[in-house]
Amino acid sequence: MTITITAIDAPDQPDRTPELDALYRGFESELLVPLWTEIGELMPMQPTSKAQPHTWRWDTLLPLAQRAGDLVPVGRGGERRAIALANPGLGGAPYATPTLWAAIQYLAPRENAPERRHTQNAFRFVVEGEGVWTVVDGDPVAMRRGDFLLTPGWQFHGHHNVSDAPMAWIDGLDILFVHNTDSAFFEFGPEGVSDQRTPARSRAERLWAHPGLRPVSSASAQAPSSPIAAYRWEHTDRALADQLALESEGHPGVVEPGHAAVRFTNPTTGGDVMPTIRAEFHRLRAGADTAARREVGSSVFQVFEGSGQVRVGDHVWTVGHGDLFVVPSWQPLTLATDAGLDLFRFSDTPIFERLHQSRALVEPNNYVEGTPQ
Amino acid sequence: MTITITAIDAPDQPDRTPELDALYRGFESELLVPLWTEIGELMPMQPTSKAQPHTWRWDTLLPLAQRAGDLVPVGRGGERRAIALANPGLGGAPYATPTLWAAIQYLAPRENAPERRHTQNAFRFVVEGEGVWTVVDGDPVAMRRGDFLLTPGWQFHGHHNVSDAPMAWIDGLDILFVHNTDSAFFEFGPEGVSDQRTPARSRAERLWAHPGLRPVSSASAQAPSSPIAAYRWEHTDRALADQLALESEGHPGVVEPGHAAVRFTNPTTGGDVMPTIRAEFHRLRAGADTAARREVGSSVFQVFEGSGQVRVGDHVWTVGHGDLFVVPSWQPLTLATDAGLDLFRFSDTPIFERLHQSRALVEPNNYVEGTPQ
Amino acid sequence: MTITITAIDAPDQPDRTPELDALYRGFESELLVPLWTEIGELMPMQPTSKAQPHTWRWDTLLPLAQRAGDLVPVGRGGERRAIALANPGLGGAPYATPTLWAAIQYLAPRENAPERRHTQNAFRFVVEGEGVWTVVDGDPVAMRRGDFLLTPGWQFHGHHNVSDAPMAWIDGLDILFVHNTDSAFFEFGPEGVSDQRTPARSRAERLWAHPGLRPVSSASAQAPSSPIAAYRWEHTDRALADQLALESEGHPGVVEPGHAAVRFTNPTTGGDVMPTIRAEFHRLRAGADTAARREVGSSVFQVFEGSGQVRVGDHVWTVGHGDLFVVPSWQPLTLATDAGLDLFRFSDTPIFERLHQSRALVEPNNYVEGTPQ
Amino acid sequence: MTITITAIDAPDQPDRTPELDALYRGFESELLVPLWTEIGELMPMQPTSKAQPHTWRWDTLLPLAQRAGDLVPVGRGGERRAIALANPGLGGAPYATPTLWAAIQYLAPRENAPERRHTQNAFRFVVEGEGVWTVVDGDPVAMRRGDFLLTPGWQFHGHHNVSDAPMAWIDGLDILFVHNTDSAFFEFGPEGVSDQRTPARSRAERLWAHPGLRPVSSASAQAPSSPIAAYRWEHTDRALADQLALESEGHPGVVEPGHAAVRFTNPTTGGDVMPTIRAEFHRLRAGADTAARREVGSSVFQVFEGSGQVRVGDHVWTVGHGDLFVVPSWQPLTLATDAGLDLFRFSDTPIFERLHQSRALVEPNNYVEGTPQ
């Protein structure tokens, strides 16, 4: 390794002298770096993420995935046909944010993605389509439009497409966080998927997806991750509709006027679905806009239905069905919609809440100026 | 107050002498009691409850409640037309167990029970009927067959019958526990009920009774009691049916062969619905019987559907629709059924779990002999 | 059992008629009690404890204990020479409050109290004397003036006096709470004490009584009760002196002016020493008095040093070394002292905090009138 | 940003074709990266840290720090005269491990380091010397040999040397973790230190550093970080000596034969001192060696007294007073000593425990071969 320490010509630095140079060469040879030559970046006044606000368009993403379906086989080496969003601030690495991986995964008709497990926490969100079952620790889980599906860390999982149509969906994982903290383990499972059945409801749902109920047979355990393998669109949709109806009747429930939101939770704790990942669904009523909100931590959103304007820091976009966008840490986010907007969101917020580094700041909406790109 | 200490004639006691008598009179005048004259009861080898196993028959209870409906008006002094089970071991006091109150409450057509609140935790379970709305902190909650409904401590609540038929249900509270620990507070609310509307779903359910979802507007709070005002029979029934179906398919989920059970939970914690009360629903498949189970703490059961044999210690009963029975602390309970059996259960178990006094012992089922009473 | 339900002649009761009498006889025969005949006591507006404020004088207690030492042998049947405070409101039963047992225990020179264990949580507080070792799960723990010593539930414990002088101390337990909830288990241990050694510091202290440090060998566990067998007077005294010195220097730390207080804690959780019992030490500077404080739950205090005036509800006493007094639930307590006052206190507060029944109310000190009894 | 995706010539990759190249160019232009071209590094079979095992020698570090004291003034721009360990695997960046910063800080006689605060959690460990007070949220805290001192996130802190001798110590922070997750906030405080006093004990210690005791005035709060500003050597030393003495007497307490260890804890929770940093002190008896231990997460050790052999993966060193070494994630660590060895250790373990990513593996000691470097 080579360290190069440069005497910096600045008012708050010592004058450059032969003695200082000798000291710096001594530091270099001993693998030492003086704090006073590291200006600014090490301990900034507030989060200044390298990640940039960015949007990826579904009508660009999906054809590329389909083309990959034609050209690239799946299953070699335990891999998936997953194509990751590479944040323009992160040097070409396949990461959406400094902690999170987001990718479009594509499975051709009758294809399998073999089983494996890893300590990274993973989920799928289905913006359209159906026909694939993901098998999680031996339990086949149907994937359908609007569903949010879990593969918590260290659970075996594979996918198989039982239909004659291809299917694409979004994968989210904490890969970069786990990578940066050196906590990754991985194991291969069987080549195929361990259970070929295609039930409408998974065993996990039959045990756990009943409101306010849990099986007495595992009633005392607090599981690190949610045992609900699939959060179905019919429930999410109804909960959001209920919030907006309550607002119309004059009762509390929405986050702010015209803005309903639900969080996916672990029914054994009431907390987030997985230790590092928060997932939510947001619905804006036609005509609504939101306050500007800053949070420690980064988020990825995908538009499910409708369209709207998104402002993240200085970036402004008009977004529609399937479009994805990234909100880096502490960048203010504002949403607005004329036609109504349904948004899936995931973020790394649980990391900060559990480590007492969480902060949020809600400011009056200053969304006006700015031309959609 | 008078204390009388008697010299006891037993091998492990000091001989009676004038000096000892003088000492005992000294203790008495100073309000002191020597440990060595208190034989046994103070610190027994295992729980020996004064409460007795007992059963109350629905076909006796209900006519008495109906007769009270004819003769006794409701609402005077903020009271209810509630008739409490008095455990035969508790000296005629209106308590089902050493901690729990259980009563049948009866509301005549078009009657109101005015609002009030108290620190005692309360719930209702509806074994049959409908037509009453309970209004909990201003939120009208329909009461229907099979539903389990909450009134956690210090929430205002009243009931009103909007139908032309009477309705009866079961109330459960932690009255004796709160009484024995001197922690009761009470306040009267308005004379009538504060919201006369009769929606099919309460606002609480619309916000909270979606599987694995919680509103982002109150997403961080851990509430001491469940915000779900009503646990509907359709969900309970489906969860129980799912467990038995999973068993038939060879998958885990039931408590033991032929025995499905769900616990009602607080979705903000995954724990019990209220700090002092556990509530569960049990379903035994036709032909099933259970292991003998002892637990620290007491339970009250009500048969919802079906019939079966219950053994509690030395007591054996055949029970059917609406019958209630009590299981005192550490008494072994065994259930068996030819026709299938659906049972609602509540208990004081959370007290012991939170105070680290919980114990349970499961023994092989020795249910054979014994003639039903 | 006999139940007698009496028709009550009051404005809010139904008129007495033959039909009503017949109904009441029906209730009686079926072991039922109507709520409307139970006036008031069941659900009071605020806690109205049967327990009364009361004080016991050390110069009366100690001679009676000494006299018992002459007349009553210890060790028969696993019992102790313990003489319990019987609250005048509790009908002569050996309980200081509706949950707590408090007793003076007396061990003659060279006497042993054999080992046993029980689920009741216990502690000792030493107002004077030394020479006894209590052996807790095989670990001999010296008992000395000012020390607070633990015997959490289900730990074997015995005592042996290795000196030529008798020794007396105070025992506190949650006996009545455990009794009322039917959660008691008990086992006899060896006749003598299992370790006759008399080290100055117990093994528990050597592992755990270091400020802010825990052994890595058991670093992850959260124990229900504190592993610190003995809280030594030198640490308690120093912590109280530090608080008053900080106050003199203008820094926060005391509870209120002139009133220092420390809580004994479980170092594995930061919470109370045992699941049902809180223990604290309070020091009032000469000339100090306290605000009137009401709390849900009951307390027992013992004066360690100094003297002062105590007001509990309508009762006012002057107390000095060794005197004990009881504060029932929700009774306002005020303390005042001319000469300075050191007080040990224990209470059942953890029960209410863990079950979300805790309340407190601090009111301006209205201690003036009232003549000490 | 430029992304370059290279078709890889490997058995499990699609054949390179013009169509594939066109697809890859499409990915690049849309900021997308296919998973199948990222071989291996993304999701390894077990943690394969870029950080390397490495040691820094005190007798090299200290003279360089002293020389910096001669040439570089402190206090300009709120900085410190801190010289960071740069792990040879981390590209010359000033980080000891992928999450942790470790530096030697040096303060000349009568020098001040001005106050500031940041969300990064920080501590100091003093391997030798005295004379500096660190002022934490206005509370002056003496720094002395063997002491471990806390500056939890967002507490103002500055240092001043009141003596005529320089002083050097070790700083530890979670800078890289906070940097990688974009959660850093920073504020400058006053130029000097806010309290020039030099008490032997800080106010924090006077309130909190009493074994098993906490002030009633803040008795209920669970603080995210420990309120004990300083863990004094006399307590650490005594706790370690007690463990080894207990082992000699045949009692449990040590981690393994001849190996005592204590963890510094937060007395309000019993958990780690700060949300992201664990700190421990280890003592090996003369002649002891340890099992090989792997853990998820990285550690930095500093030798306090004695000498010994350290093996980390393939690296073997002989270490003595003041030497520092780094153990990357999942690298096996073995320690051995002829003369006895006292070691301070800090690590990022709480991150993994709180996020359910923690793993450890203890293997038989295979420390034999290998020549110390």
Side-chain angles (χ1 to χ4, degrees):
Chain A
M1 192 196 70
T2 313
I3 290 182
T4 308
I5 298 165
T6 309
I8 297 175
D9 184 20
D12 58 350
Q13 286 288 327
D15 295 331
R16 186 166 184 179
T17 62
E19 290 79 8
L20 190 68
D21 277 346
L23 178 65
Y24 285 2
R25 299 297 86 72
F27 286 156
E28 289 170 0
S29 71
E30 296 299 329
L31 296 175
L32 297 170
V33 176
L35 178 61
W36 59 89
T37 63
E38 302 283 309
I39 302 301
E41 196 188 335
L42 219 58
M43 300 182 92
M45 304 306 282
Q46 61 180 48
T48 52
S49 185
K50 285 181 189 162
Q52 294 176 21
H54 194 77
T55 184
W56 289 260
R57 302 298 177 175
W58 189 244
D59 57 15
T60 310
L61 270 181
L62 188 60
L64 285 167
Q66 287 165 331
R67 185 68 176 146
D70 299 335
L71 299 178
V72 182
V74 79
R76 299 199 184 179
E79 300 297 354
R80 269 74 169 120
R81 193 185 294 106
I83 305 156
L85 310 187
N87 190 291
L90 297 178
Y95 299 113
T97 84
T99 54
L100 298 171
W101 161 281
I104 181 172
Q105 188 168 159
Y106 184 91
L107 215 52
R110 305 290 162 187
E111 246 182 351
N112 274 8
E115 294 200 9
R116 60 193 201 177
R117 67 176 175 179
H118 41 69
T119 51
Q120 289 89 350
N121 295 292
F123 71 84
R124 336 265 158 226
F125 176 70
V126 183
V127 76
E128 62 188 33
E130 61 182 5
V132 169
W133 268 252
T134 179
V135 181
V136 180
D137 271 350
D139 183 15
V141 185
M143 298 176 68
R144 290 186 295 256
R145 179 181 168 278
D147 292 347
F148 169 67
L149 307 116
L150 292 188
T151 312
W154 216 236
Q155 297 193 358
F156 277 111
H157 56 284
H159 319 303
H160 62 133
N161 188 343
V162 302
S163 81
D164 294 324
M167 185 175 171
W169 63 85
I170 295 301
D171 285 344
L173 292 93
D174 53 6
I175 296 180
L176 186 47
F177 178 78
V178 168
H179 179 79
N180 279 341
T181 55
D182 287 331
S183 49
F185 292 82
F186 186 103
E187 275 185 13
F188 288 107
E191 265 307 294
V193 295
S194 54
D195 192 324
Q196 298 280 348
R197 279 173 290 187
T198 57
R201 291 162 70 228
S202 62
R203 302 198 299 268
E205 289 165 86
R206 290 159 79 192
L207 279 179
W208 284 98
H210 307 281
L213 302 176
R214 60 189 297 178
V216 169
S217 55
S218 51
S220 304
Q222 283 211 330
S225 295
S226 172
I228 302 181
Y231 295 75
R232 297 298 175 192
W233 173 241
E234 65 189 270
H235 300 130
T236 306
D237 184 38
R238 190 185 198 201
L240 293 166
D242 278 344
Q243 279 187 22
L244 291 180
L246 282 166
E247 186 194 24
S248 299
E249 299 165 23
H251 297 299
V254 293
V255 174
E256 59 192 327
H259 177 188
V262 291
R263 186 169 298 162
F264 300 98
T265 62
N266 175 349
T268 73
T269 64
D272 284 295
V273 282
M274 297 185 295
T276 55
I277 295 180
R278 169 162 297 172
E280 295 175 345
F281 210 103
H282 292 250
R283 172 170 292 173
L284 266 68
R285 197 192 283 281
D289 56 11
T290 71
R293 183 173 183 87
R294 294 172 185 266
E295 286 188 22
V296 164
S298 52
S299 295
V300 180
F301 288 80
Q302 185 174 32
V303 176
F304 182 63
E305 285 297 340
S307 63
Q309 288 74 48
V310 178
R311 180 183 189 108
V312 184
D314 297 332
H315 294 66
V316 183
W317 314 292
T318 295
V319 293
H321 174 71
D323 293 348
L324 293 125
F325 59 91
V326 163
V327 184
S329 186
W330 212 240
Q331 291 276 5
L333 165 69
T334 314
L335 303 167
T337 178
D338 292 326
L341 185 60
D342 269 16
L343 282 163
F344 171 75
R345 176 204 181 199
F346 71 101
S347 72
D348 55 5
T349 321
I351 296 172
F352 305 102
E353 289 187 355
R354 287 165 191 238
L355 301 176
H356 296 276
Q357 294 281 7
S358 184
R359 288 195 190 192
L361 182 64
V362 179
E363 296 167 312
N365 177 352
N366 54 359
Y367 179 85
V368 225
E369 72 285 33
T371 321
Q373 298 175 333
Chain B
M1 191 195 72
T2 314
I3 291 182
T4 308
I5 298 164
T6 310
I8 297 175
D9 184 21
D12 58 352
Q13 288 287 326
D15 294 330
R16 187 168 183 179
T17 61
E19 290 78 8
L20 190 67
D21 277 345
L23 178 65
Y24 285 3
R25 297 300 85 77
F27 287 158
E28 289 170 359
S29 71
E30 297 299 329
L31 297 175
L32 299 170
V33 176
L35 179 59
W36 59 89
T37 63
E38 302 283 310
I39 301 300
E41 196 188 334
L42 220 58
M43 301 184 90
M45 304 307 282
Q46 61 180 47
T48 52
S49 187
K50 285 180 190 163
Q52 294 177 22
H54 193 76
T55 185
W56 290 259
R57 302 297 177 175
W58 189 244
D59 56 15
T60 310
L61 269 182
L62 188 59
L64 284 167
Q66 287 165 332
R67 185 66 177 148
D70 299 335
L71 299 178
V72 181
V74 80
R76 299 199 186 180
E79 300 297 354
R80 270 76 169 118
R81 194 185 293 106
I83 305 157
L85 311 187
N87 190 291
L90 298 177
Y95 299 113
T97 84
T99 55
L100 299 170
W101 162 280
I104 180 171
Q105 188 170 161
Y106 184 90
L107 214 51
R110 306 291 163 186
E111 247 183 348
N112 274 8
E115 295 201 7
R116 60 192 201 179
R117 66 176 175 180
H118 41 69
T119 51
Q120 290 88 351
N121 294 291
F123 70 83
R124 336 265 158 226
F125 175 70
V126 183
V127 77
E128 61 189 32
E130 63 183 2
V132 170
W133 268 252
T134 180
V135 182
V136 180
D137 271 350
D139 184 16
V141 186
M143 299 176 67
R144 290 186 295 257
R145 179 180 168 277
D147 293 346
F148 169 67
L149 307 115
L150 292 188
T151 312
W154 215 236
Q155 298 192 357
F156 277 111
H157 56 284
H159 320 303
H160 62 135
N161 189 343
V162 304
S163 81
D164 293 324
M167 184 176 173
W169 64 86
I170 294 301
D171 287 342
L173 291 92
D174 53 7
I175 296 180
L176 187 47
F177 178 78
V178 168
H179 179 79
N180 279 340
T181 56
D182 287 332
S183 50
F185 293 82
F186 186 102
E187 275 185 13
F188 288 107
E191 266 306 294
V193 296
S194 54
D195 191 324
Q196 298 280 348
R197 279 173 289 187
T198 56
R201 291 160 71 227
S202 62
R203 301 199 298 268
E205 288 165 87
R206 290 158 79 192
L207 279 179
W208 284 99
H210 306 280
L213 302 176
R214 60 188 297 179
V216 169
S217 55
S218 51
S220 303
Q222 283 211 332
S225 294
S226 172
I228 302 181
Y231 295 75
R232 298 298 175 192
W233 173 240
E234 65 188 272
H235 301 131
T236 305
D237 183 38
R238 190 183 199 201
L240 293 166
D242 278 344
Q243 279 187 22
L244 291 180
L246 283 166
E247 186 194 25
S248 298
E249 299 165 24
H251 298 299
V254 293
V255 173
E256 59 193 325
H259 178 187
V262 292
R263 185 169 299 162
F264 300 99
T265 62
N266 175 350
T268 73
T269 63
D272 284 294
V273 282
M274 298 186 293
T276 55
I277 296 180
R278 170 162 297 171
E280 296 176 346
F281 211 103
H282 293 251
R283 174 170 291 172
L284 266 70
R285 199 192 281 282
D289 57 11
T290 71
R293 184 173 183 86
R294 295 173 185 264
E295 287 188 22
V296 164
S298 53
S299 295
V300 180
F301 288 79
Q302 184 175 31
V303 176
F304 182 64
E305 286 296 341
S307 63
Q309 287 73 48
V310 177
R311 182 186 189 105
V312 184
D314 296 332
H315 294 66
V316 183
W317 314 292
T318 294
V319 292
H321 173 71
D323 292 349
L324 293 125
F325 59 90
V326 163
V327 184
S329 186
W330 213 239
Q331 291 277 5
L333 165 69
T334 314
L335 302 167
T337 178
D338 293 325
L341 185 60
D342 269 16
L343 281 164
F344 171 76
R345 176 204 181 201
F346 71 102
S347 72
D348 55 5
T349 321
I351 296 172
F352 305 102
E353 289 188 354
R354 288 166 191 237
L355 302 175
H356 296 276
Q357 294 281 8
S358 184
R359 289 196 190 191
L361 182 64
V362 179
E363 295 167 313
N365 178 352
N366 54 359
Y367 179 85
V368 225
E369 72 285 34
T371 320
Q373 299 178 329
Chain C
M1 193 196 70
T2 313
I3 290 182
T4 308
I5 298 165
T6 310
I8 297 176
D9 183 20
D12 58 351
Q13 288 287 326
D15 295 330
R16 187 169 183 178
T17 61
E19 290 78 8
L20 189 68
D21 278 345
L23 177 65
Y24 285 4
R25 296 301 84 74
F27 287 157
E28 289 171 0
S29 71
E30 296 299 331
L31 297 175
L32 297 169
V33 176
L35 178 60
W36 59 90
T37 63
E38 300 284 308
I39 301 301
E41 197 188 335
L42 220 58
M43 300 183 91
M45 304 306 283
Q46 63 181 46
T48 51
S49 186
K50 285 182 190 162
Q52 295 177 21
H54 193 76
T55 185
W56 289 260
R57 302 297 177 175
W58 190 244
D59 56 15
T60 309
L61 271 181
L62 188 59
L64 285 166
Q66 287 165 332
R67 186 67 177 148
D70 299 335
L71 299 178
V72 182
V74 79
R76 299 201 184 176
E79 300 296 353
R80 270 75 168 119
R81 193 186 294 105
I83 305 157
L85 311 187
N87 190 291
L90 297 176
Y95 299 113
T97 85
T99 55
L100 298 171
W101 161 281
I104 180 171
Q105 187 169 161
Y106 183 91
L107 215 51
R110 305 291 162 187
E111 248 182 349
N112 273 8
E115 296 202 7
R116 61 193 202 180
R117 67 175 175 180
H118 41 68
T119 50
Q120 290 89 351
N121 294 292
F123 71 83
R124 335 265 159 226
F125 175 70
V126 183
V127 76
E128 62 188 32
E130 62 182 2
V132 170
W133 267 251
T134 179
V135 181
V136 180
D137 270 350
D139 184 15
V141 186
M143 298 177 67
R144 290 185 296 255
R145 179 180 168 276
D147 293 347
F148 169 66
L149 307 116
L150 292 188
T151 311
W154 215 236
Q155 298 193 356
F156 277 111
H157 56 284
H159 320 304
H160 62 133
N161 188 342
V162 303
S163 82
D164 293 325
M167 185 175 171
W169 64 85
I170 294 302
D171 286 344
L173 292 93
D174 54 6
I175 297 180
L176 187 47
F177 178 77
V178 168
H179 178 80
N180 279 341
T181 55
D182 288 331
S183 50
F185 292 82
F186 186 103
E187 275 185 13
F188 289 106
E191 265 307 294
V193 295
S194 55
D195 192 324
Q196 297 281 347
R197 279 173 289 186
T198 57
R201 291 162 70 228
S202 63
R203 302 200 297 269
E205 289 165 85
R206 290 159 79 191
L207 279 179
W208 284 98
H210 306 280
L213 303 175
R214 61 188 296 178
V216 169
S217 55
S218 51
S220 303
Q222 283 211 331
S225 295
S226 172
I228 302 182
Y231 295 74
R232 297 298 174 191
W233 173 241
E234 63 190 273
H235 300 129
T236 306
D237 184 38
R238 190 185 199 200
L240 293 166
D242 278 345
Q243 280 188 21
L244 291 181
L246 283 166
E247 186 194 25
S248 299
E249 299 166 24
H251 297 300
V254 292
V255 173
E256 59 191 326
H259 179 187
V262 292
R263 185 169 299 162
F264 299 98
T265 63
N266 174 349
T268 74
T269 63
D272 284 293
V273 282
M274 297 187 293
T276 54
I277 296 181
R278 169 161 298 170
E280 296 176 345
F281 211 102
H282 292 251
R283 173 169 292 172
L284 266 68
R285 199 192 282 282
D289 56 12
T290 72
R293 185 173 183 86
R294 293 172 186 266
E295 287 188 20
V296 164
S298 53
S299 295
V300 180
F301 288 80
Q302 185 175 31
V303 177
F304 183 62
E305 285 297 340
S307 63
Q309 288 74 49
V310 177
R311 181 185 189 107
V312 183
D314 297 332
H315 294 66
V316 183
W317 314 292
T318 294
V319 292
H321 174 71
D323 292 349
L324 293 125
F325 60 90
V326 162
V327 184
S329 186
W330 212 240
Q331 291 277 5
L333 165 70
T334 315
L335 302 168
T337 178
D338 293 324
L341 184 60
D342 270 16
L343 281 163
F344 172 76
R345 175 204 182 199
F346 71 101
S347 72
D348 56 5
T349 320
I351 295 171
F352 305 102
E353 289 187 355
R354 288 166 190 237
L355 301 176
H356 296 276
Q357 294 281 8
S358 185
R359 288 196 190 190
L361 182 63
V362 179
E363 296 166 312
N365 178 351
N366 54 359
Y367 179 84
V368 224
E369 72 285 31
T371 321
Q373 298 177 332
Chain D
M1 193 196 72
T2 314
I3 291 182
T4 309
I5 298 165
T6 310
I8 298 175
D9 184 20
D12 58 352
Q13 288 288 325
D15 294 331
R16 185 167 185 179
T17 61
E19 290 78 7
L20 190 67
D21 278 344
L23 178 65
Y24 285 1
R25 296 300 83 75
F27 287 157
E28 289 170 359
S29 71
E30 297 299 330
L31 297 175
L32 298 170
V33 176
L35 178 61
W36 58 89
T37 63
E38 301 283 310
I39 302 299
E41 195 187 336
L42 220 57
M43 299 182 92
M45 304 306 282
Q46 62 180 49
T48 53
S49 186
K50 286 181 190 163
Q52 294 177 21
H54 193 76
T55 185
W56 290 259
R57 301 298 178 175
W58 190 244
D59 56 15
T60 310
L61 270 182
L62 188 59
L64 284 166
Q66 287 165 332
R67 185 69 176 145
D70 299 335
L71 298 177
V72 182
V74 80
R76 299 199 185 180
E79 300 297 355
R80 269 74 169 120
R81 193 185 294 107
I83 305 156
L85 311 187
N87 190 292
L90 297 177
Y95 299 112
T97 85
T99 54
L100 298 171
W101 161 280
I104 181 172
Q105 187 169 160
Y106 184 89
L107 214 51
R110 306 289 162 186
E111 245 181 351
N112 274 8
E115 295 201 7
R116 59 193 202 179
R117 66 176 176 180
H118 40 68
T119 50
Q120 290 88 352
N121 295 291
F123 71 83
R124 336 265 157 224
F125 176 70
V126 183
V127 76
E128 61 189 32
E130 63 182 1
V132 169
W133 268 252
T134 180
V135 181
V136 180
D137 270 350
D139 183 16
V141 185
M143 299 177 66
R144 290 187 294 257
R145 178 180 170 277
D147 293 347
F148 169 66
L149 307 115
L150 292 188
T151 311
W154 214 237
Q155 298 193 357
F156 277 111
H157 56 284
H159 319 303
H160 62 133
N161 188 342
V162 304
S163 81
D164 293 324
M167 184 174 172
W169 64 85
I170 294 301
D171 285 344
L173 292 91
D174 54 6
I175 296 180
L176 187 47
F177 178 77
V178 169
H179 179 79
N180 279 341
T181 55
D182 288 332
S183 49
F185 292 82
F186 187 102
E187 276 185 12
F188 288 106
E191 265 307 294
V193 294
S194 55
D195 191 324
Q196 297 281 347
R197 278 173 290 186
T198 56
R201 292 161 70 226
S202 63
R203 301 200 299 268
E205 288 165 86
R206 290 159 79 192
L207 279 179
W208 284 98
H210 307 280
L213 302 176
R214 61 187 297 179
V216 169
S217 55
S218 51
S220 303
Q222 282 211 332
S225 294
S226 172
I228 302 182
Y231 295 75
R232 298 298 175 191
W233 173 241
E234 66 190 270
H235 300 130
T236 307
D237 183 37
R238 191 184 197 201
L240 293 166
D242 278 344
Q243 279 187 22
L244 291 180
L246 283 165
E247 185 193 25
S248 299
E249 299 165 24
H251 298 300
V254 293
V255 173
E256 59 192 325
H259 178 189
V262 291
R263 185 168 299 162
F264 299 99
T265 62
N266 175 351
T268 74
T269 63
D272 284 295
V273 282
M274 298 187 294
T276 54
I277 296 180
R278 170 162 296 172
E280 295 175 346
F281 210 103
H282 292 250
R283 174 170 290 172
L284 266 69
R285 198 192 282 282
D289 55 12
T290 71
R293 184 172 183 87
R294 293 173 186 264
E295 287 188 22
V296 165
S298 53
S299 295
V300 180
F301 287 80
Q302 185 175 31
V303 177
F304 183 63
E305 286 297 339
S307 62
Q309 288 73 50
V310 178
R311 181 185 189 107
V312 183
D314 297 332
H315 294 67
V316 183
W317 314 291
T318 295
V319 293
H321 174 71
D323 292 349
L324 293 125
F325 59 92
V326 162
V327 184
S329 186
W330 212 239
Q331 291 276 5
L333 165 69
T334 315
L335 302 167
T337 178
D338 293 326
L341 185 61
D342 270 16
L343 281 163
F344 171 77
R345 176 204 181 199
F346 72 101
S347 72
D348 55 4
T349 321
I351 295 173
F352 305 102
E353 289 187 355
R354 288 166 190 237
L355 301 175
H356 295 275
Q357 294 281 8
S358 184
R359 287 195 191 192
L361 183 63
V362 179
E363 296 167 312
N365 179 351
N366 56 359
Y367 179 85
V368 223
E369 72 284 34
T371 320
Q373 298 177 332

